[in-house]
Structures are given as structure tokens and as C-alpha cells.
Amino acid sequence: MRLEIIFTVTLCSVLTVFGCDVPLVHYKTMQCTPVGSRPDGCPERYECPSITAHDNNKCYFNGKTYEISESVPNEQIAKFCSVACYCRAANPVAKFRCGHVDCPEFFHRFDYDNCVRQYKGQSCCSSGTVCGQERDKLATCELENEIYREGQRMRFKDNKCRTCICTAGFNRNATDTDPNCFDTICGFELFGEKHLYGGGIPVYKEDVCCPWEWRTPKETDSVVKGAGKPATDSKLQCKYGKLTLDVGDSLNIQQREADGQKMSCSCQIPPLMHCMLN
């Protein structure tokens, strides 16, 4: 699902973890376990039981396994404008069924010049609107040369995976510990199970935290060998359809996406490859 409500996973720059210049948000969202370390700051690989030991009769979300008919706590899914999600049997894999929340603000024009919407925590809908002179009385926050008013969501220019809510006394130098700042949890486990567990790999778009979409194997795909040495451990390889790739290998894509954007896919940190849209 491309359009996900994302309010709050990295502590470094966008799409990276601990200085690792590889998009790893999908691993963090699934609560995969990093294994080993490389000189560039990246793990050697991840352990992802929800993928490598997947049970088609169970659902998976944020590191937890759900049995058929088991529900996800509403507070964990509110950020996705969803409610009452539960695991149900389906073919080929079990999937979550959720109710969708339509916020009142979705249906009204908004006076951006005179009003601000206010939010609390990782909610989907705004908690209220303040306009005119009352808006001018609100506390302000400064983040990366942008001014916000109390209750507004604040976005980081160099870290799209973290969001803060402007509050009185906000300290722009302490956003790592501010309780009103949140790391992103992506929603693809709730909405994209067919692609995720059907052999798909995450496709990232520049300046977007979560995977933009998932690419499934195509018959025309082939491997372009990299300069690295072949792996002696199969856990240090990426499996993609019928293909096996070593770290540094890339995918020879014989077609472009419908929107004309160029896609590059490679094996960087097993077990999954990833793609970038340029």
C-alpha cells in the first residue's frame, strides 16, 4: 500500500540505521534481529522469522505473531487511520482485516493562512483546530529553520523517519529524548501481506521513510554480478524468486516502471534485496 499514514525508525539520516547508508526501515518495522557488523556500520544480515519461517496461518505485525481471530491493540494501529484490526484466514496467506477511520478534516477545506491543526501523540486525526488570535497565542517551536505552533507536527528535513509534536518548552537539541518525538513504524505488514510474503522486496523512494511499494520477481529478471567474493554462507545471500544474489550483486531489470522512474535493485544486507526509485 503506497499511501500510509506515517507519523513517526532511524536515529540517523533518512532510511539509514546507526550510520549504515542502506535503507533498513523494513527490517526495523518487522523487528528483525541484526547479526554481525561490517566496517561501514551495517549489520552483515538480519534474522527475520516472519519471512524465513513464515506460517501462512498466522499474521505478523511489529515483531508479534497473531493467531487467527486475534486482534491488534487499537493504540498500535491508530497512526494508520485504522481500527479493530484482526487476523483472518485467507489464501495464500492469512491477512489483517481493519476498519478505516475517516477524520473530519478529510472532508473540509482548511484555512492554512489563519489556522493550525493540533495533534496528540501518534494519532491519525487532529485533536482540534485553532485559528486567528487564539492561534497567535500558542507556543512556537523552531526546527531546522522552520517555525511551528503548539500541537503541529514537525518534520525533519534529513530524517523522514522521525516526527515531533511542537510543545511548549521544545528543545531542538534534545529530539532524541523528547517524549513528543516518534520513530516511524510502517504499515506494510497490515496492508501488503501478499507482496511481503509472496517474495516481494521493498522499493524505496528518495526522501520517503517507508517502502513506497514492493516489487515481485519477474521472469525477465537476471543477476548482474558485483565485484565481491561469492558467499560461502547461504545466510549471507539474498533470495529473489529463482535467483540467488551475493552481497554487491544487482538485478538486471528489463523494463521500466509505468511512471517512467528508473529503478535499481541490489543485494546489500540479506535476506532481502531492496530497490531504489530515482
Side-chain angles (χ1 to χ4, degrees), residues 218-224 243 245 250-254:
K218 296 175 172 54
E219 288 296 328
T220 54
D221 293 340
S222 60
V223 178
V224 178
L243 305 177
L245 296 88
S250 59
L251 205 60
N252 180 22
I253 300 175
Q254 298 296 326

Side-chain angles (χ1 to χ4, degrees), residues 31-44:
Q31 298 290 311
C32 299
T33 303
V35 178
S37 60
R38 305 190 317 207
D40 61 359
C42 297
E44 289 185 334

Side-chain angles (χ1 to χ4, degrees), residues 12 22 25 35 64 76 104 126 137 144 168 178 190 193-194 203 206 219 242 267 274:
C12 305
V22 176
V25 178
V35 178
K64 182 180 177 181
Q76 294 185 23
S126 63
K137 296 177 182 178
E144 297 179 342
D178 191 323
L190 292 175
E193 75 292 330
K194 285 186 178 181
V203 178
E206 187 177 1
E219 288 296 328
K242 300 177 182 179
C267 175
H274 77 274

